[in-house]
Amino acid sequence: MFALLCHSMISNKLLLQTTRFSAIRSFNVKNSMKLGFPCAYTDEETRKILNTLNEQDVEQLYKYDISKSRLKRIEIWRKKFGTFMSLEQVLELDGFGITVLRRFYDSIITSPKDNVMVPPKVAKKDPTFTTPTFPGDLATKVQSCVSLYIGLDFVTWAKFHIANEKPTVLNGWNSFAIPDRKLHISDLIRMVNQINRLIPEGDVYVVENPAVAQTVVGGSALKTNINIQKSQLIAMIMLMLTSRTRENIAITDNIFFLKQFTSARLFEIFVGTERVSCENVVRSLLECQVGLNEGALEQVQSKVIVPSGLKILYEEKHDAEREFLGQSLLLGLTFVRLCIVQCKNSLNILRK
């Protein structure tokens, strides 16, 4: 009887304590079920946590008990989906478990960490467009540039004269037909010597960064040999050009490889993963029509003047050769706009 009485008294005492505790904390079952009892949060605490999650900058969240990598996942989620609608929703992110999340939420409810160094925002740098990197202080020293577009059937080049506060002038534009895709190395050397004599002199030379020569999986031996010949051709021509006597002694590196497809992206002839024909863009430039938002370009040097004789040369070529000539023109203009002039409009196009 005494034991029964004691058990009844203990039960009543626990019931009274539970009643008092419930009066103090109103559990939000919807927002705290997965976080586990008895560590639920009141409605007021839930609102505070959600407001902090959704409204504070990621840099401000560093002062709470959370790692940098997890904060990055929160930032990506907010940019993609907007706001968090419940406390449990954060559990959907990788790296967030109940223990980690409750520790994070508890630090929001209590107080932020003291003496936490919030890392400053790092300004985004413009991407590197060339290999080697084109030095910024070299831009004012370059007065001429020769761009080369090297393919399986043609080597084409375009020479540009660059002057301060004046439009860039195209004063050289030509091509060389490659007679065979299966040349012996001795024939290739003789042909490169001939090409070297035809390519005009310039302060710097720019070519598109080539893909690595490799065997095509499942491809034929012929296709593999063609890939190797193109790489050999590029290497030989670049070696010839870098060995030329330089009139401008201020320029040490005179060969620059432009990142692949940069000119195609800038002139919007890159669709999906393929480069499409540049003929419409080139004709627009030759006819002095507005192209590539040129009406909004701040720098006069970003525009190009093409003499009538070079326009006639372009029109006299057949379709395939015209395409290669056009690519060398766009390649050179891309280099001038991004590296020499540092055109803001062009840089903004490539930042998208």
Side-chain angles (χ1 to χ4, degrees):
M1 183 69 180
F2 178 75
L4 182 62
L5 180 61
C6 289
H7 179 75
S8 176
M9 290 175 64
I10 293 171
S11 299
N12 289 335
K13 186 177 180 180
L14 289 173
L15 179 62
L16 180 61
Q17 288 178 342
T18 305
T19 304
R20 288 176 180 173
F21 185 75
S22 299
I24 296 172
R25 293 180 66 88
S26 175
F27 292 120
N28 189 328
V29 177
K30 178 181 178 183
N31 283 325
S32 52
M33 183 69 72
K34 293 181 181 178
L35 299 178
F37 288 109
C39 295
Y41 300 102
T42 65
D43 292 342
E44 182 180 353
E45 291 169 341
T46 299
R47 283 193 294 271
K48 181 179 180 180
I49 294 169
L50 287 175
N51 287 339
T52 301
L53 269 176
N54 294 324
E55 295 178 9
Q56 288 194 9
D57 292 337
V58 174
E59 286 77 13
Q60 294 176 296
L61 295 178
Y62 273 101
K63 57 190 177 184
Y64 301 110
D65 196 351
I66 189 73
S67 68
K68 181 178 178 180
S69 60
R70 291 188 176 99
L71 280 180
K72 187 65 178 177
R73 295 187 185 102
I74 289 176
E75 181 182 24
I76 294 172
W77 196 97
R78 292 198 317 191
K79 287 180 179 179
K80 189 173 182 179
F81 299 106
T83 58
F84 289 99
M85 302 305 294
S86 68
L87 300 186
E88 287 88 352
Q89 203 167 16
V90 186
L91 289 171
E92 299 175 14
L93 279 63
D94 290 338
F96 283 88
I98 291 175
T99 303
V100 169
L101 203 52
R102 276 167 48 179
R103 188 167 62 241
F104 177 40
Y105 289 165
D106 287 345
S107 69
I108 294 176
I109 292 171
T110 54
S111 60
K113 297 177 184 177
D114 295 327
N115 302 323
V116 175
M117 294 296 293
V118 178
K121 287 186 176 180
V122 179
K124 290 185 178 179
K125 296 182 179 179
D126 286 327
T128 301
F129 297 110
T130 63
T131 303
T133 302
F134 186 81
D137 59 352
L138 196 61
T140 56
K141 301 172 184 177
V142 175
Q143 298 179 347
S144 61
C145 161
V146 178
S147 58
L148 298 101
Y149 191 80
I150 301 172
L152 299 175
D153 301 304
F154 295 97
V155 175
T156 58
W157 55 86
K159 181 177 179 179
F160 301 86
H161 176 72
I162 305 156
N164 291 330
E165 300 181 358
K166 293 182 180 180
T168 298
V169 179
L170 180 70
N171 54 11
W173 203 16
N174 217 327
S175 61
F176 183 94
I178 300 173
D180 194 344
R181 294 187 176 188
K182 299 178 291 180
L183 290 172
H184 187 272
I185 191 70
S186 60
D187 297 323
L188 200 59
I189 291 172
R190 283 194 294 270
M191 187 181 71
V192 169
N193 269 319
Q194 187 177 356
I195 293 173
N196 181 49
R197 289 194 294 269
L198 295 173
I199 295 175
E201 298 282 343
D203 288 339
V204 293
Y205 304 91
V206 58
V207 66
E208 188 171 68
N209 200 37
V212 177
Q214 58 186 357
T215 302
V216 179
V217 177
S220 64
L222 174 60
K223 192 167 186 179
T224 300
N225 290 337
I226 290 171
N227 288 338
I228 293 173
Q229 176 169 303
K230 182 178 177 181
S231 296
Q232 289 173 334
L233 186 61
I234 294 172
M236 288 182 184
I237 293 175
M238 294 301 104
L239 180 60
M240 289 285 191
L241 296 178
T242 197
S243 301
R244 286 183 172 183
T245 303
R246 301 169 197 174
E247 295 180 2
N248 192 338
I249 58 174
I251 300 174
T252 53
D253 290 326
N254 68 334
I255 302 292
F256 294 94
F257 293 87
L258 191 70
K259 189 176 178 180
Q260 228 182 2
F261 302 122
T262 301
S263 60
R265 288 176 55 210
L266 179 61
F267 286 94
E268 299 178 349
I269 56 171
F270 192 69
V271 179
T273 59
E274 298 292 332
R275 189 199 317 259
V276 297
S277 174
C278 65
E279 185 168 358
N280 290 337
V281 175
V282 172
R283 288 193 180 280
S284 177
L285 292 170
L286 297 183
E287 295 168 8
C288 297
Q289 296 175 357
V290 175
L292 186 62
N293 300 320
E294 285 206 37
L297 290 178
E298 300 173 357
Q299 292 87 352
V300 178
Q301 290 172 282
S302 293
K303 300 180 181 179
V304 61
I305 294 176
V306 183
S308 57
L310 294 181
K311 292 180 183 179
I312 294 172
L313 179 145
Y314 175 79
E315 295 295 345
E316 289 178 344
K317 304 293 184 181
H318 58 76
D319 294 348
E321 197 166 0
R322 275 205 308 270
E323 181 64 28
F324 276 81
L325 282 168
Q327 294 292 353
S328 66
L329 174 69
L330 299 187
L331 183 67
L333 276 179
T334 300
F335 179 77
V336 169
R337 289 178 175 178
L338 297 180
C339 299
I340 306 295
V341 178
Q342 298 175 9
C343 173
K344 293 179 181 179
N345 206 352
S346 298
L347 289 170
N348 287 336
I349 290 174
L350 295 178
R351 288 193 189 110
K352 294 178 181 177

